[in-house]
Amino acid sequence: MSVTGSLEGIAAVVLLLGVGLILATLIWPLIRAIARRIEGGTASAEIQAELEGLRERVRQLEEMQPRMLELEERVDFAERIVAKGREPDRLER
């Protein structure tokens, strides 16, 4: 297995975990809110509080998006550096 292949695998795993975490963070409270609404046990103030919490989470996720893009660019750069460093080994063989 080449170093570049392992870096691509690591990058893919990191991105998948990040997306999974984001989806879980957003979807779980929505499912709870819908379930409470169906049961009829949630007061309007509780719904508003949960809605505000969800808005805050969305805001945080939007703030994280540029950081995720920067990390993706850094991984790509590191992969190129590693691949460039491996080229002389290939030519000598």
Side-chain angles (χ1 to χ4, degrees):
M1 177 182 265
S2 70
V3 174
T4 304
S6 66
L7 285 177
E8 289 174 0
I10 292 171
V13 169
V14 168
L15 288 175
L16 285 174
L17 287 174
V19 169
L21 179 64
I22 289 169
L23 287 175
T25 302
L26 287 175
I27 292 174
W28 180 249
L30 287 173
I31 292 172
R32 283 190 328 185
I34 291 169
R36 286 184 192 154
R37 182 72 174 190
I38 291 171
E39 291 175 358
T42 303
S44 179
E46 291 178 21
I47 291 173
Q48 289 299 322
E50 187 137 6
L51 182 60
E52 288 302 316
L54 289 172
R55 287 181 178 150
E56 176 63 22
R57 288 182 181 177
V58 168
R59 185 190 61 75
Q60 290 172 351
L61 291 172
E62 287 174 348
E63 288 177 359
M64 286 176 36
Q65 185 177 9
R67 293 175 63 195
M68 290 292 286
L69 292 174
E70 180 184 349
L71 289 172
E72 185 177 341
E73 289 175 9
R74 288 180 180 209
V75 168
D76 289 342
F77 176 75
E79 288 176 352
R80 286 194 303 273
I81 293 296
V82 169
K84 187 176 182 180
R86 303 274 301 162
E87 283 300 316
D89 294 342
R90 290 186 187 173
L91 296 176
E92 289 176 8
R93 294 181 188 168

